[in-house]
Amino acid sequence: MPQTRLVYPFSAIVGQENMKKGLLLNAINPKIGGVLLRGEKGTAKSIAVRALAQLLPQIEVVPDCPFLCEPHRLDELCDTCADEMAICDACTSKMTICDACAARIFKGEKLGIAKRQVPVVELPIGATEDRVVGTLDIEKAIKSGEKHFEPGLLAAANRGILYIDEVNLLDDHLVDVLLDAAAMGVNFVEREGISFSHPAQF
């Protein structure tokens, strides 16, 4: 029987009112762009983040999609889900959705709908760029012509919470990568002329 990780309740955290208010406001409106928590070790920073995720409602996702794509948003699908989406040619060319296609998407046709808990992904200090953004299998692309992408931490954190402890210790280049993805809401990976993109909203 799989063990469930117990999470300290958000409401049980004593004090730290500014921290809790900042996290709640960011959960209400993610366009705020994140929260920077400062404090000594043992001041419940990581506990508060994990506890917050337990308060949030479950999100609707495309089943088995590693990027947790939202089934109802045509403009925010990863490359794989976009290929599998059954929409009419007119909608594809205009990148808009007609009423008929919108109804099919809303019902979850083709892609299906599943519910998941909001993910909390911790970024380790020693993480490499490939571990964060993901990697493209160049050899497979050359041999078979198939584009294969191995998702990274940004994929796992899409539509969830990306928690970075000791952000000041991260490599400057990695910080730039994270800021770019956060600003655009998309993770774009390109290697040797082969590219792949997926939503990265965290």
Side-chain angles (χ1 to χ4, degrees):
M1 182 176 178
Q3 292 184 340
T4 303
R5 183 178 182 180
L6 297 177
V7 177
Y8 195 78
F10 192 82
S11 58
I13 298 174
V14 178
Q16 304 285 23
E17 297 304 322
N18 288 336
M19 174 182 71
K20 291 190 286 188
K21 182 187 289 185
L23 290 172
L24 288 171
L25 289 174
N26 197 77
I28 293 168
N29 184 10
K31 291 183 179 179
I32 290 174
V35 180
L36 177 63
L37 304 178
R38 294 177 57 191
E40 300 294 328
K41 288 186 179 295
T43 51
K45 298 186 297 295
S46 58
I47 287 175
V49 172
R50 293 190 197 100
L52 175 68
Q54 297 296 310
L55 294 179
L56 301 177
Q58 290 187 326
I59 55 176
E60 290 187 339
V61 302
V62 176
D64 302 321
C65 175
F67 313 106
L68 302 180
C69 282
E70 187 174 354
H72 312 308
R73 296 297 302 270
L74 177 65
D75 57 331
E76 294 180 2
L77 295 176
C78 67
D79 291 351
T80 304
C81 289
D83 290 341
E84 293 180 10
M85 176 62 75
I87 57 175
C88 67
D89 293 337
C91 289
T92 304
S93 61
K94 296 177 182 176
M95 284 308 293
T96 58
I97 308 175
C98 66
D99 291 343
C101 287
R104 291 163 64 189
I105 293 170
F106 184 75
K107 291 177 183 175
E109 284 190 21
K110 272 290 185 181
L111 291 179
I113 296 176
K115 290 198 172 183
R116 298 282 186 276
Q117 188 69 39
V118 171
V120 177
V121 177
E122 294 191 37
L123 193 152
I125 295 300
T128 63
E129 181 181 353
D130 285 346
R131 179 74 182 97
V132 174
V133 302
T135 57
L136 282 163
D137 191 335
I138 304 299
E139 184 178 352
K140 186 172 184 178
I142 293 173
K143 287 183 177 179
S144 65
E146 295 179 9
K147 184 164 50 175
H148 178 73
F149 180 74
E150 190 65 35
L153 295 175
L154 290 183
N158 184 42
R159 302 180 65 203
I161 298 171
L162 180 65
Y163 179 69
I164 308 170
D165 200 5
E166 306 289 354
V167 67
N168 57 305
L169 299 180
L170 281 181
D171 182 73
D172 289 343
H173 175 65
L174 207 53
V175 172
D176 290 339
V177 168
L178 291 169
L179 290 175
D180 285 345
M184 295 187 298
V186 176
N187 179 33
F188 185 79
V189 182
E190 186 170 13
R191 299 286 187 275
E192 305 296 332
I194 302 171
S195 62
F196 187 91
S197 64
H198 67 81
Q201 299 177 7
F202 49 87

